[in-house]
Amino acid sequence: MKLQDARVLLTGASGGIGAAMDHALRQAGAKVLGVSRSPQASVPGRHWVRADLNDPRDIEHVAESCAVLDINVVVHAAGESGFGALQTLDAARMQHVLQTNLLSPMLLTQALLPQLQRQPQAQIVFVGSALGAIGLPGFSLYGASKAGVHRFAESLRRELSDTPVQVQLLAPRSTRTAFNSGEAEAYNRATGTASDSPETVAQALVGLIRDEAAERYIGWPERLAARLNGAVGPLLDGSFDKHRRHLTQTNAIQGATS
Ligand SMILES: NC(=O)c1ccc[n+]([C@@H]2O[C@H](COP(=O)([O-])OP(=O)(O)OC[C@H]3O[C@@H](n4cnc5c(N)ncnc54)[C@H](OP(=O)(O)O)[C@@H]3O)[C@@H](O)[C@H]2O)c1
């Protein structure tokens, strides 16, 4: 779709990646309806709706705003991080991350689908993650939530293939935003994990909407790793010893100081 024709609902618009996406989309000529729980300053050409996407009443409210603005593109960028060894994660946190990253985008999509199907052309972009395609120590919760997003997007893409609604996946690798805690940053440094600026991710989104491709991974090593992992996953297990060791050391230090 031409960006000038796009009227975009952007969740997570107050976040590091979302704010860059908001800017890049408007620069490219799209209109944007941003969503977040925190109030945002008003900007010319951008609408805003305040909503907690984990609350079904707020999802209804967002759907009503989308109808008013005749939204034809949805970008699911809201998300929560869930870094940590499984033993350090409590049940409430696990439920919250799974709901925010997986269930809420599914329910919002369901609520918006009737109006998107009435458009001559519509696009739904899910922001997944390289960690949705490849499981790393410390990312069992987050990776599970994003793997769910990847499979949901793939199923829906095939389910809607004879409709005007195209489903797409954007999978960033680590990106320099407040999303990553100090511990996650230390893990990235210790394991030599590459990272991008939010602007790089935002430009990839603009390209994905324009090109109408099914999916895009950011970073060629991550794209290759995702492919290899899908084909011969268990053979790669030993490649992540460094990641496991860093996580184990961090837990040992935390255990000793608590
Ligand atoms: N940063 C990375 O390394 C990285 C890598 C790969 C993929 N991703 C994915 O990219 C997306 C954006 O990440 P980011 O780095 O921009 O994260 P971020 O800076 O922490 O922003 C998260 C956004 O999600 C919104 N949000 C969270 N829970 C919400 C809820 N219940 N209702 C409404 N909005 C909610 C936040 O808005 P409020 O708090 O204002 O409500 C904020 O706008 C996420 O899906 C993340 O999983 C990130």
PDB file of all heavy atoms in Angstrom, residues 12-18 35-38 40 51-54 76-80 100-101 127-129 142 146 172-180, ligand 1:
ATOM      1  N   GLY A  12       1.511   0.673  21.083  1.00  0.00           N
ATOM      2  CA  GLY A  12       2.882   0.852  21.575  1.00  0.00           C
ATOM      3  C   GLY A  12       3.509   2.131  21.074  1.00  0.00           C
ATOM      4  O   GLY A  12       4.734   2.265  21.060  1.00  0.00           O
ATOM      5  N   ALA A  13       2.670   3.088  20.668  1.00  0.00           N
ATOM      6  CA  ALA A  13       3.189   4.296  20.012  1.00  0.00           C
ATOM      7  C   ALA A  13       3.988   5.195  20.949  1.00  0.00           C
ATOM      8  O   ALA A  13       4.728   6.057  20.490  1.00  0.00           O
ATOM      9  CB  ALA A  13       2.038   5.074  19.377  1.00  0.00           C
ATOM     10  N   SER A  14       3.868   4.987  22.260  1.00  0.00           N
ATOM     11  CA  SER A  14       4.652   5.813  23.198  1.00  0.00           C
ATOM     12  C   SER A  14       6.020   5.193  23.484  1.00  0.00           C
ATOM     13  O   SER A  14       6.841   5.792  24.171  1.00  0.00           O
ATOM     14  CB  SER A  14       3.895   5.958  24.528  1.00  0.00           C
ATOM     15  OG  SER A  14       3.744   4.678  25.131  1.00  0.00           O
ATOM     16  N   GLY A  15       6.262   3.985  22.985  1.00  0.00           N
ATOM     17  CA  GLY A  15       7.507   3.276  23.307  1.00  0.00           C
ATOM     18  C   GLY A  15       8.668   3.691  22.409  1.00  0.00           C
ATOM     19  O   GLY A  15       8.516   4.537  21.514  1.00  0.00           O
ATOM     20  N   GLY A  16       9.829   3.102  22.664  1.00  0.00           N
ATOM     21  CA  GLY A  16      11.024   3.459  21.908  1.00  0.00           C
ATOM     22  C   GLY A  16      10.856   3.177  20.419  1.00  0.00           C
ATOM     23  O   GLY A  16      11.095   4.049  19.571  1.00  0.00           O
ATOM     24  N   ILE A  17      10.423   1.972  20.082  1.00  0.00           N
ATOM     25  CA  ILE A  17      10.232   1.629  18.667  1.00  0.00           C
ATOM     26  C   ILE A  17       8.969   2.303  18.135  1.00  0.00           C
ATOM     27  O   ILE A  17       8.957   2.849  17.022  1.00  0.00           O
ATOM     28  CB  ILE A  17      10.156   0.092  18.498  1.00  0.00           C
ATOM     29  CG1 ILE A  17      11.531  -0.535  18.790  1.00  0.00           C
ATOM     30  CG2 ILE A  17       9.669  -0.288  17.109  1.00  0.00           C
ATOM     31  CD1 ILE A  17      11.565  -2.065  18.752  1.00  0.00           C
ATOM     32  N   GLY A  18       7.896   2.297  18.955  1.00  0.00           N
ATOM     33  CA  GLY A  18       6.619   2.870  18.516  1.00  0.00           C
ATOM     34  C   GLY A  18       6.739   4.355  18.176  1.00  0.00           C
ATOM     35  O   GLY A  18       6.184   4.819  17.166  1.00  0.00           O
ATOM     36  N   VAL A  35      -1.819   4.468  20.183  1.00  0.00           N
ATOM     37  CA  VAL A  35      -2.440   3.936  21.412  1.00  0.00           C
ATOM     38  C   VAL A  35      -1.367   3.730  22.469  1.00  0.00           C
ATOM     39  O   VAL A  35      -0.292   3.218  22.163  1.00  0.00           O
ATOM     40  CB  VAL A  35      -3.079   2.535  21.177  1.00  0.00           C
ATOM     41  CG1 VAL A  35      -3.768   2.038  22.450  1.00  0.00           C
ATOM     42  CG2 VAL A  35      -4.044   2.547  20.035  1.00  0.00           C
ATOM     43  N   SER A  36      -1.679   4.110  23.694  1.00  0.00           N
ATOM     44  CA  SER A  36      -0.835   3.735  24.832  1.00  0.00           C
ATOM     45  C   SER A  36      -1.634   3.999  26.104  1.00  0.00           C
ATOM     46  O   SER A  36      -2.684   4.634  26.063  1.00  0.00           O
ATOM     47  CB  SER A  36       0.467   4.528  24.853  1.00  0.00           C
ATOM     48  OG  SER A  36       0.197   5.882  25.123  1.00  0.00           O
ATOM     49  N   ARG A  37      -1.095   3.519  27.209  1.00  0.00           N
ATOM     50  CA  ARG A  37      -1.756   3.811  28.491  1.00  0.00           C
ATOM     51  C   ARG A  37      -1.383   5.204  28.963  1.00  0.00           C
ATOM     52  O   ARG A  37      -2.169   5.892  29.594  1.00  0.00           O
ATOM     53  CB  ARG A  37      -1.330   2.785  29.552  1.00  0.00           C
ATOM     54  CG  ARG A  37      -1.866   1.399  29.290  1.00  0.00           C
ATOM     55  CD  ARG A  37      -1.138   0.376  30.111  1.00  0.00           C
ATOM     56  NE  ARG A  37       0.303   0.397  29.827  1.00  0.00           N
ATOM     57  CZ  ARG A  37       1.185  -0.433  30.344  1.00  0.00           C
ATOM     58  NH1 ARG A  37       0.784  -1.350  31.198  1.00  0.00           N
ATOM     59  NH2 ARG A  37       2.458  -0.371  30.026  1.00  0.00           N
ATOM     60  N   SER A  38      -0.151   5.621  28.639  1.00  0.00           N
ATOM     61  CA  SER A  38       0.288   6.942  29.115  1.00  0.00           C
ATOM     62  C   SER A  38      -0.176   8.027  28.147  1.00  0.00           C
ATOM     63  O   SER A  38      -0.167   7.815  26.933  1.00  0.00           O
ATOM     64  CB  SER A  38       1.815   6.970  29.226  1.00  0.00           C
ATOM     65  OG  SER A  38       2.385   6.383  28.086  1.00  0.00           O
ATOM     66  N   GLN A  40      -0.172  11.299  25.796  1.00  0.00           N
ATOM     67  CA  GLN A  40       0.880  11.810  24.916  1.00  0.00           C
ATOM     68  C   GLN A  40       0.575  13.234  24.495  1.00  0.00           C
ATOM     69  O   GLN A  40      -0.592  13.614  24.376  1.00  0.00           O
ATOM     70  CB  GLN A  40       0.979  10.931  23.654  1.00  0.00           C
ATOM     71  CG  GLN A  40       1.364   9.509  23.948  1.00  0.00           C
ATOM     72  CD  GLN A  40       2.749   9.408  24.584  1.00  0.00           C
ATOM     73  OE1 GLN A  40       3.704   9.985  24.106  1.00  0.00           O
ATOM     74  NE2 GLN A  40       2.838   8.685  25.695  1.00  0.00           N
ATOM     75  N   ALA A  51      -5.440   3.787  26.101  1.00  0.00           N
ATOM     76  CA  ALA A  51      -6.082   2.493  26.356  1.00  0.00           C
ATOM     77  C   ALA A  51      -5.088   1.516  26.973  1.00  0.00           C
ATOM     78  O   ALA A  51      -3.917   1.509  26.615  1.00  0.00           O
ATOM     79  CB  ALA A  51      -6.609   1.905  25.043  1.00  0.00           C
ATOM     80  N   ASP A  52      -5.617   0.700  27.868  1.00  0.00           N
ATOM     81  CA  ASP A  52      -4.861  -0.454  28.356  1.00  0.00           C
ATOM     82  C   ASP A  52      -5.360  -1.645  27.538  1.00  0.00           C
ATOM     83  O   ASP A  52      -6.500  -2.090  27.702  1.00  0.00           O
ATOM     84  CB  ASP A  52      -5.135  -0.670  29.851  1.00  0.00           C
ATOM     85  CG  ASP A  52      -4.379  -1.877  30.386  1.00  0.00           C
ATOM     86  OD1 ASP A  52      -3.882  -2.700  29.573  1.00  0.00           O
ATOM     87  OD2 ASP A  52      -4.284  -2.003  31.622  1.00  0.00           O
ATOM     88  N   LEU A  53      -4.521  -2.127  26.672  1.00  0.00           N
ATOM     89  CA  LEU A  53      -4.969  -3.164  25.721  1.00  0.00           C
ATOM     90  C   LEU A  53      -5.224  -4.504  26.401  1.00  0.00           C
ATOM     91  O   LEU A  53      -5.751  -5.428  25.770  1.00  0.00           O
ATOM     92  CB  LEU A  53      -3.950  -3.309  24.586  1.00  0.00           C
ATOM     93  CG  LEU A  53      -3.877  -2.060  23.688  1.00  0.00           C
ATOM     94  CD1 LEU A  53      -2.669  -2.112  22.767  1.00  0.00           C
ATOM     95  CD2 LEU A  53      -5.163  -1.898  22.875  1.00  0.00           C
ATOM     96  N   ASN A  54      -4.890  -4.601  27.683  1.00  0.00           N
ATOM     97  CA  ASN A  54      -5.224  -5.829  28.411  1.00  0.00           C
ATOM     98  C   ASN A  54      -6.624  -5.758  29.023  1.00  0.00           C
ATOM     99  O   ASN A  54      -7.055  -6.694  29.673  1.00  0.00           O
ATOM    100  CB  ASN A  54      -4.186  -6.092  29.513  1.00  0.00           C
ATOM    101  CG  ASN A  54      -2.829  -6.430  28.925  1.00  0.00           C
ATOM    102  OD1 ASN A  54      -2.738  -6.770  27.753  1.00  0.00           O
ATOM    103  ND2 ASN A  54      -1.785  -6.333  29.731  1.00  0.00           N
ATOM    104  N   HIS A  76       0.774  -3.783  15.403  1.00  0.00           N
ATOM    105  CA  HIS A  76       0.785  -4.224  16.802  1.00  0.00           C
ATOM    106  C   HIS A  76       2.212  -4.116  17.330  1.00  0.00           C
ATOM    107  O   HIS A  76       3.010  -5.051  17.166  1.00  0.00           O
ATOM    108  CB  HIS A  76       0.363  -5.688  16.898  1.00  0.00           C
ATOM    109  CG  HIS A  76      -1.073  -5.940  16.563  1.00  0.00           C
ATOM    110  ND1 HIS A  76      -2.095  -5.678  17.439  1.00  0.00           N
ATOM    111  CD2 HIS A  76      -1.654  -6.463  15.455  1.00  0.00           C
ATOM    112  CE1 HIS A  76      -3.256  -6.024  16.884  1.00  0.00           C
ATOM    113  NE2 HIS A  76      -3.014  -6.497  15.682  1.00  0.00           N
ATOM    114  N   ALA A  77       2.543  -2.983  17.956  1.00  0.00           N
ATOM    115  CA  ALA A  77       3.914  -2.807  18.481  1.00  0.00           C
ATOM    116  C   ALA A  77       3.954  -2.747  20.003  1.00  0.00           C
ATOM    117  O   ALA A  77       5.043  -2.667  20.565  1.00  0.00           O
ATOM    118  CB  ALA A  77       4.560  -1.559  17.887  1.00  0.00           C
ATOM    119  N   ALA A  78       2.795  -2.782  20.682  1.00  0.00           N
ATOM    120  CA  ALA A  78       2.831  -2.779  22.159  1.00  0.00           C
ATOM    121  C   ALA A  78       3.448  -4.087  22.627  1.00  0.00           C
ATOM    122  O   ALA A  78       3.230  -5.142  22.021  1.00  0.00           O
ATOM    123  CB  ALA A  78       1.418  -2.631  22.723  1.00  0.00           C
ATOM    124  N   GLY A  79       4.231  -4.023  23.675  1.00  0.00           N
ATOM    125  CA  GLY A  79       4.821  -5.265  24.170  1.00  0.00           C
ATOM    126  C   GLY A  79       5.502  -5.061  25.503  1.00  0.00           C
ATOM    127  O   GLY A  79       5.747  -3.946  25.942  1.00  0.00           O
ATOM    128  N   GLU A  80       5.749  -6.179  26.155  1.00  0.00           N
ATOM    129  CA  GLU A  80       6.432  -6.202  27.456  1.00  0.00           C
ATOM    130  C   GLU A  80       7.619  -7.132  27.346  1.00  0.00           C
ATOM    131  O   GLU A  80       7.525  -8.188  26.713  1.00  0.00           O
ATOM    132  CB  GLU A  80       5.502  -6.806  28.521  1.00  0.00           C
ATOM    133  CG  GLU A  80       4.458  -5.872  29.047  1.00  0.00           C
ATOM    134  CD  GLU A  80       4.983  -4.920  30.098  1.00  0.00           C
ATOM    135  OE1 GLU A  80       6.103  -5.137  30.618  1.00  0.00           O
ATOM    136  OE2 GLU A  80       4.271  -3.945  30.399  1.00  0.00           O
ATOM    137  N   THR A 100      -0.089  -9.441  27.326  1.00  0.00           N
ATOM    138  CA  THR A 100       0.244  -8.206  26.592  1.00  0.00           C
ATOM    139  C   THR A 100       0.782  -8.533  25.198  1.00  0.00           C
ATOM    140  O   THR A 100       0.413  -7.887  24.216  1.00  0.00           O
ATOM    141  CB  THR A 100       1.305  -7.392  27.371  1.00  0.00           C
ATOM    142  OG1 THR A 100       0.814  -7.162  28.689  1.00  0.00           O
ATOM    143  CG2 THR A 100       1.593  -6.066  26.689  1.00  0.00           C
ATOM    144  N   ASN A 101       1.672  -9.517  25.131  1.00  0.00           N
ATOM    145  CA  ASN A 101       2.364  -9.772  23.859  1.00  0.00           C
ATOM    146  C   ASN A 101       1.570 -10.651  22.912  1.00  0.00           C
ATOM    147  O   ASN A 101       1.767 -10.562  21.697  1.00  0.00           O
ATOM    148  CB  ASN A 101       3.724 -10.444  24.129  1.00  0.00           C
ATOM    149  CG  ASN A 101       4.695  -9.501  24.801  1.00  0.00           C
ATOM    150  OD1 ASN A 101       4.373  -8.358  25.075  1.00  0.00           O
ATOM    151  ND2 ASN A 101       5.887  -9.990  25.093  1.00  0.00           N
ATOM    152  N   VAL A 127       4.410  -7.031  15.268  1.00  0.00           N
ATOM    153  CA  VAL A 127       5.830  -6.891  15.601  1.00  0.00           C
ATOM    154  C   VAL A 127       6.207  -8.103  16.460  1.00  0.00           C
ATOM    155  O   VAL A 127       5.777  -8.226  17.606  1.00  0.00           O
ATOM    156  CB  VAL A 127       6.121  -5.573  16.332  1.00  0.00           C
ATOM    157  CG1 VAL A 127       7.604  -5.492  16.701  1.00  0.00           C
ATOM    158  CG2 VAL A 127       5.721  -4.391  15.455  1.00  0.00           C
ATOM    159  N   GLY A 128       6.938  -9.016  15.842  1.00  0.00           N
ATOM    160  CA  GLY A 128       7.414 -10.192  16.560  1.00  0.00           C
ATOM    161  C   GLY A 128       8.810  -9.921  17.073  1.00  0.00           C
ATOM    162  O   GLY A 128       9.106  -8.848  17.587  1.00  0.00           O
ATOM    163  N   SER A 129       9.696 -10.885  16.899  1.00  0.00           N
ATOM    164  CA  SER A 129      11.074 -10.735  17.372  1.00  0.00           C
ATOM    165  C   SER A 129      11.906 -11.881  16.808  1.00  0.00           C
ATOM    166  O   SER A 129      11.383 -12.977  16.574  1.00  0.00           O
ATOM    167  CB  SER A 129      11.094 -10.799  18.902  1.00  0.00           C
ATOM    168  OG  SER A 129      12.413 -10.955  19.373  1.00  0.00           O
ATOM    169  N   TYR A 142       9.535 -14.616  27.139  1.00  0.00           N
ATOM    170  CA  TYR A 142       9.386 -13.649  26.048  1.00  0.00           C
ATOM    171  C   TYR A 142       9.360 -14.372  24.694  1.00  0.00           C
ATOM    172  O   TYR A 142       8.526 -14.082  23.827  1.00  0.00           O
ATOM    173  CB  TYR A 142      10.544 -12.643  26.096  1.00  0.00           C
ATOM    174  CG  TYR A 142      10.478 -11.594  25.012  1.00  0.00           C
ATOM    175  CD1 TYR A 142       9.521 -10.587  25.048  1.00  0.00           C
ATOM    176  CD2 TYR A 142      11.371 -11.619  23.947  1.00  0.00           C
ATOM    177  CE1 TYR A 142       9.455  -9.635  24.045  1.00  0.00           C
ATOM    178  CE2 TYR A 142      11.318 -10.657  22.943  1.00  0.00           C
ATOM    179  CZ  TYR A 142      10.362  -9.673  23.003  1.00  0.00           C
ATOM    180  OH  TYR A 142      10.289  -8.723  22.013  1.00  0.00           O
ATOM    181  N   LYS A 146       6.459 -14.390  21.782  1.00  0.00           N
ATOM    182  CA  LYS A 146       6.676 -13.918  20.411  1.00  0.00           C
ATOM    183  C   LYS A 146       6.549 -15.067  19.398  1.00  0.00           C
ATOM    184  O   LYS A 146       6.101 -14.845  18.266  1.00  0.00           O
ATOM    185  CB  LYS A 146       8.038 -13.232  20.295  1.00  0.00           C
ATOM    186  CG  LYS A 146       8.073 -11.881  21.001  1.00  0.00           C
ATOM    187  CD  LYS A 146       7.115 -10.870  20.360  1.00  0.00           C
ATOM    188  CE  LYS A 146       7.147  -9.518  21.013  1.00  0.00           C
ATOM    189  NZ  LYS A 146       6.279  -8.526  20.362  1.00  0.00           N
ATOM    190  N   PRO A 172      12.112  -7.649  14.597  1.00  0.00           N
ATOM    191  CA  PRO A 172      13.364  -6.956  14.912  1.00  0.00           C
ATOM    192  C   PRO A 172      14.279  -7.852  15.738  1.00  0.00           C
ATOM    193  O   PRO A 172      13.833  -8.792  16.390  1.00  0.00           O
ATOM    194  CB  PRO A 172      12.922  -5.767  15.772  1.00  0.00           C
ATOM    195  CG  PRO A 172      11.429  -5.725  15.725  1.00  0.00           C
ATOM    196  CD  PRO A 172      10.982  -7.105  15.373  1.00  0.00           C
ATOM    197  N   ARG A 173      15.586  -7.551  15.698  1.00  0.00           N
ATOM    198  CA  ARG A 173      16.489  -8.138  16.683  1.00  0.00           C
ATOM    199  C   ARG A 173      16.593  -7.120  17.820  1.00  0.00           C
ATOM    200  O   ARG A 173      15.801  -6.167  17.869  1.00  0.00           O
ATOM    201  CB  ARG A 173      17.844  -8.439  16.042  1.00  0.00           C
ATOM    202  CG  ARG A 173      18.543  -7.226  15.459  1.00  0.00           C
ATOM    203  CD  ARG A 173      19.825  -7.610  14.764  1.00  0.00           C
ATOM    204  NE  ARG A 173      20.455  -6.447  14.171  1.00  0.00           N
ATOM    205  CZ  ARG A 173      21.582  -6.506  13.466  1.00  0.00           C
ATOM    206  NH1 ARG A 173      22.189  -7.664  13.272  1.00  0.00           N
ATOM    207  NH2 ARG A 173      22.095  -5.409  12.948  1.00  0.00           N
ATOM    208  N   SER A 174      17.558  -7.304  18.723  1.00  0.00           N
ATOM    209  CA  SER A 174      17.649  -6.406  19.867  1.00  0.00           C
ATOM    210  C   SER A 174      17.710  -4.944  19.380  1.00  0.00           C
ATOM    211  O   SER A 174      18.421  -4.636  18.426  1.00  0.00           O
ATOM    212  CB  SER A 174      18.896  -6.743  20.685  1.00  0.00           C
ATOM    213  OG  SER A 174      18.925  -5.922  21.818  1.00  0.00           O
ATOM    214  N   THR A 175      16.950  -4.090  20.038  1.00  0.00           N
ATOM    215  CA  THR A 175      16.833  -2.690  19.618  1.00  0.00           C
ATOM    216  C   THR A 175      17.058  -1.807  20.845  1.00  0.00           C
ATOM    217  O   THR A 175      16.578  -2.145  21.938  1.00  0.00           O
ATOM    218  CB  THR A 175      15.430  -2.445  19.008  1.00  0.00           C
ATOM    219  OG1 THR A 175      15.195  -3.436  18.003  1.00  0.00           O
ATOM    220  CG2 THR A 175      15.319  -1.072  18.384  1.00  0.00           C
ATOM    221  N   ARG A 176      17.764  -0.700  20.635  1.00  0.00           N
ATOM    222  CA  ARG A 176      18.189   0.113  21.779  1.00  0.00           C
ATOM    223  C   ARG A 176      17.052   1.005  22.288  1.00  0.00           C
ATOM    224  O   ARG A 176      16.901   2.152  21.866  1.00  0.00           O
ATOM    225  CB  ARG A 176      19.421   0.940  21.381  1.00  0.00           C
ATOM    226  CG  ARG A 176      20.638   0.052  21.078  1.00  0.00           C
ATOM    227  CD  ARG A 176      21.861   0.866  20.733  1.00  0.00           C
ATOM    228  NE  ARG A 176      21.793   1.550  19.460  1.00  0.00           N
ATOM    229  CZ  ARG A 176      22.065   0.997  18.271  1.00  0.00           C
ATOM    230  NH1 ARG A 176      22.403  -0.283  18.184  1.00  0.00           N
ATOM    231  NH2 ARG A 176      21.988   1.716  17.170  1.00  0.00           N
ATOM    232  N   THR A 177      16.221   0.434  23.167  1.00  0.00           N
ATOM    233  CA  THR A 177      15.143   1.190  23.811  1.00  0.00           C
ATOM    234  C   THR A 177      15.134   0.829  25.297  1.00  0.00           C
ATOM    235  O   THR A 177      15.813  -0.106  25.719  1.00  0.00           O
ATOM    236  CB  THR A 177      13.755   0.827  23.226  1.00  0.00           C
ATOM    237  OG1 THR A 177      13.404  -0.486  23.688  1.00  0.00           O
ATOM    238  CG2 THR A 177      13.738   0.851  21.713  1.00  0.00           C
ATOM    239  N   ALA A 178      14.270   1.529  26.034  1.00  0.00           N
ATOM    240  CA  ALA A 178      14.163   1.267  27.475  1.00  0.00           C
ATOM    241  C   ALA A 178      13.557  -0.106  27.755  1.00  0.00           C
ATOM    242  O   ALA A 178      13.535  -0.559  28.904  1.00  0.00           O
ATOM    243  CB  ALA A 178      13.306   2.353  28.113  1.00  0.00           C
ATOM    244  N   PHE A 179      13.063  -0.758  26.725  1.00  0.00           N
ATOM    245  CA  PHE A 179      12.492  -2.113  26.831  1.00  0.00           C
ATOM    246  C   PHE A 179      13.484  -3.069  27.494  1.00  0.00           C
ATOM    247  O   PHE A 179      13.104  -3.946  28.267  1.00  0.00           O
ATOM    248  CB  PHE A 179      12.189  -2.571  25.400  1.00  0.00           C
ATOM    249  CG  PHE A 179      11.478  -3.872  25.258  1.00  0.00           C
ATOM    250  CD1 PHE A 179      10.104  -3.947  25.394  1.00  0.00           C
ATOM    251  CD2 PHE A 179      12.169  -5.028  24.940  1.00  0.00           C
ATOM    252  CE1 PHE A 179       9.435  -5.151  25.225  1.00  0.00           C
ATOM    253  CE2 PHE A 179      11.518  -6.226  24.772  1.00  0.00           C
ATOM    254  CZ  PHE A 179      10.147  -6.290  24.912  1.00  0.00           C
ATOM    255  N   ASN A 180      14.776  -2.922  27.142  1.00  0.00           N
ATOM    256  CA  ASN A 180      15.798  -3.832  27.650  1.00  0.00           C
ATOM    257  C   ASN A 180      16.328  -3.328  28.994  1.00  0.00           C
ATOM    258  O   ASN A 180      16.866  -2.229  29.076  1.00  0.00           O
ATOM    259  CB  ASN A 180      16.934  -3.955  26.623  1.00  0.00           C
ATOM    260  CG  ASN A 180      16.449  -4.636  25.359  1.00  0.00           C
ATOM    261  OD1 ASN A 180      15.919  -5.741  25.405  1.00  0.00           O
ATOM    262  ND2 ASN A 180      16.593  -3.969  24.221  1.00  0.00           N
TER     263      ASN A 180
HETATM  264  N1  LIG B   1      13.530  -3.319  22.108  1.00  0.00           N
HETATM  265  C1  LIG B   1      13.877  -4.518  21.651  1.00  0.00           C
HETATM  266  O1  LIG B   1      15.028  -4.999  21.872  1.00  0.00           O
HETATM  267  C2  LIG B   1      12.902  -5.319  20.824  1.00  0.00           C
HETATM  268  C3  LIG B   1      13.414  -6.346  19.989  1.00  0.00           C
HETATM  269  C4  LIG B   1      12.518  -7.105  19.227  1.00  0.00           C
HETATM  270  C5  LIG B   1      11.156  -6.837  19.312  1.00  0.00           C
HETATM  271  N2  LIG B   1      10.699  -5.847  20.129  1.00  0.00           N
HETATM  272  C6  LIG B   1       9.255  -5.615  20.181  1.00  0.00           C
HETATM  273  O2  LIG B   1       8.985  -4.318  19.679  1.00  0.00           O
HETATM  274  C7  LIG B   1       7.821  -3.775  20.328  1.00  0.00           C
HETATM  275  C8  LIG B   1       8.149  -2.392  20.878  1.00  0.00           C
HETATM  276  O3  LIG B   1       9.242  -2.498  21.776  1.00  0.00           O
HETATM  277  P1  LIG B   1       9.942  -1.200  22.429  1.00  0.00           P
HETATM  278  O4  LIG B   1      11.382  -1.489  22.504  1.00  0.00           O
HETATM  279  O5  LIG B   1       9.452   0.027  21.761  1.00  0.00           O
HETATM  280  O6  LIG B   1       9.322  -1.278  23.902  1.00  0.00           O
HETATM  281  P2  LIG B   1       8.989  -0.090  24.940  1.00  0.00           P
HETATM  282  O7  LIG B   1       9.843   1.098  24.680  1.00  0.00           O
HETATM  283  O8  LIG B   1       9.025  -0.716  26.288  1.00  0.00           O
HETATM  284  O9  LIG B   1       7.481   0.281  24.578  1.00  0.00           O
HETATM  285  C9  LIG B   1       6.439  -0.608  24.843  1.00  0.00           C
HETATM  286  C10 LIG B   1       5.139   0.015  24.368  1.00  0.00           C
HETATM  287  O10 LIG B   1       4.061  -0.901  24.622  1.00  0.00           O
HETATM  288  C11 LIG B   1       3.010  -0.171  25.249  1.00  0.00           C
HETATM  289  N3  LIG B   1       2.225  -1.058  26.116  1.00  0.00           N
HETATM  290  C12 LIG B   1       2.708  -2.015  26.960  1.00  0.00           C
HETATM  291  N4  LIG B   1       1.677  -2.601  27.607  1.00  0.00           N
HETATM  292  C13 LIG B   1       0.548  -2.001  27.153  1.00  0.00           C
HETATM  293  C14 LIG B   1      -0.836  -2.168  27.467  1.00  0.00           C
HETATM  294  N5  LIG B   1      -1.271  -3.075  28.370  1.00  0.00           N
HETATM  295  N6  LIG B   1      -1.742  -1.388  26.818  1.00  0.00           N
HETATM  296  C15 LIG B   1      -1.323  -0.458  25.928  1.00  0.00           C
HETATM  297  N7  LIG B   1      -0.029  -0.260  25.593  1.00  0.00           N
HETATM  298  C16 LIG B   1       0.891  -1.023  26.209  1.00  0.00           C
HETATM  299  C17 LIG B   1       3.726   0.929  26.055  1.00  0.00           C
HETATM  300  O11 LIG B   1       2.858   2.014  26.270  1.00  0.00           O
HETATM  301  P3  LIG B   1       2.462   2.596  27.728  1.00  0.00           P
HETATM  302  O12 LIG B   1       3.429   2.048  28.730  1.00  0.00           O
HETATM  303  O13 LIG B   1       2.523   4.067  27.551  1.00  0.00           O
HETATM  304  O14 LIG B   1       1.088   2.085  27.886  1.00  0.00           O
HETATM  305  C18 LIG B   1       4.811   1.325  25.053  1.00  0.00           C
HETATM  306  O15 LIG B   1       4.274   2.231  24.101  1.00  0.00           O
HETATM  307  C19 LIG B   1       7.424  -4.802  21.390  1.00  0.00           C
HETATM  308  O16 LIG B   1       6.407  -5.606  20.863  1.00  0.00           O
HETATM  309  C20 LIG B   1       8.683  -5.623  21.591  1.00  0.00           C
HETATM  310  O17 LIG B   1       8.383  -6.935  22.021  1.00  0.00           O
HETATM  311  C21 LIG B   1      11.537  -5.084  20.875  1.00  0.00           C
END
